[in-house]
């Protein structure tokens, strides 16, 4: 059995290297050894920043996406603890995200009722998405 996060888990995936990746509102992304059920790596973010998604690339690079209340998102390399890219355009928390198969684009969904498509370019601050999809409403 895997040791618990300190708060709700919002995402869990199988990584390409055979490990398991989890994301939690406890502000952590964790890498788990599937054989021993031990946590082998943790990415922890400061108060106010929540991990909402985890990804595993073809190169076995494990990534996490964090979001701030005002809608800024950051893509992190879990192993190096480095911010790869910052995305700023949503006006509220990002609630879901997915990375394209070739890792060149990121799709984000937010409480601001929009979905945005972003180019992934390492170590850049991206203020303008390639595309914004609108149309969801309350009700």
């Amino acid at each position: 059995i895997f040791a618990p996060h300190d708060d709700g888990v919002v995402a869990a995936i199988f990584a390409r290297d055979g490990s398991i990746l989890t994301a939690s509102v406890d502000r952590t992304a964790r890498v788990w050894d599937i054989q021993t059920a031990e946590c082998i790596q943790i990415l922890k973010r400061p108060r106010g920043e929540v991990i909402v998604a985890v990804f595993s690339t073809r190169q076995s690079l494990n990534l996490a996406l964090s979001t701030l209340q005002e809608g800024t998102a950051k893509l992190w390399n879990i192993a190096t603890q480095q911010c790869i890219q910052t995305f700023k355009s949503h006006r509220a928390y990002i609630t879901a995200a997915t990375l394209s198969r070739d890792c060149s684009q990121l799709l984000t969904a937010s409480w601001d009722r929009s979905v945005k498509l972003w180019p992934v370019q390492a170590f850049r601050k991206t203020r303008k998405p390639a595309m914004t999809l609108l149309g969801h409403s309350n009700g």
Side-chain angles (χ1 to χ4, degrees), residues 2-3 5 22 29-33 36-43:
F2 294 96
H5 278 275
T22 58
R30 296 175 189 238
V31 181
W32 303 88
D33 182 303
T36 65
E38 289 182 36
C39 179
I40 54 177
Q41 207 161 37
I42 298 175
L43 171 71

Side-chain angles (χ1 to χ4, degrees), residues 94-107:
I94 292 167
T95 56
T98 189
L99 199 58
S100 64
R101 285 182 174 254
D102 66 359
C103 302
S104 67
Q105 296 178 310
L106 177 72
L107 194 61

Side-chain angles (χ1 to χ4, degrees), residues 44 58-59 63 67 83 90 101 104 111 116 127 135:
K44 180 131 176 112
R58 276 186 245 170
Q59 299 80 17
L63 306 173
T67 184
C83 179
H90 282 291
R101 285 182 174 254
S104 67
W111 279 107
K116 296 184 186 275
R127 294 191 178 275

Side-chain angles (χ1 to χ4, degrees), residues 18-130:
S19 61
I20 293 174
L21 304 178
T22 58
S24 171
V25 291
D26 69 5
R27 303 182 327 272
T28 67
R30 296 175 189 238
V31 181
W32 303 88
D33 182 303
I34 199 164
Q35 301 300 317
T36 65
E38 289 182 36
C39 179
I40 54 177
Q41 207 161 37
I42 298 175
L43 171 71
K44 180 131 176 112
R45 301 306 312 137
R47 182 176 295 285
E49 197 168 339
V50 176
I51 306 285
V52 293
V54 283
F55 315 104
S56 185
T57 70
R58 276 186 245 170
Q59 299 80 17
S60 292
L61 184 64
N62 294 330
L63 306 173
L65 187 77
S66 65
T67 184
L68 297 163
Q69 188 172 0
E70 85 280 355
T72 297
K74 295 179 181 182
L75 188 62
W76 298 90
N77 178 325
I78 296 173
T80 65
Q81 312 274 305
Q82 268 192 305
C83 179
I84 296 171
Q85 189 171 350
T86 301
F87 307 90
K88 187 169 177 75
S89 178
H90 282 291
R91 295 183 319 267
Y93 272 120
I94 292 167
T95 56
T98 189
L99 199 58
S100 64
R101 285 182 174 254
D102 66 359
C103 302
S104 67
Q105 296 178 310
L106 177 72
L107 194 61
T108 57
S110 170
W111 279 107
D112 68 9
R113 294 185 257 164
S114 72
V115 175
K116 296 184 186 275
L117 179 67
W118 306 88
V120 174
Q121 302 162 326
F123 308 107
R124 306 229 19 217
K125 183 178 265 187
T126 305
R127 294 191 178 275
K128 205 168 182 190

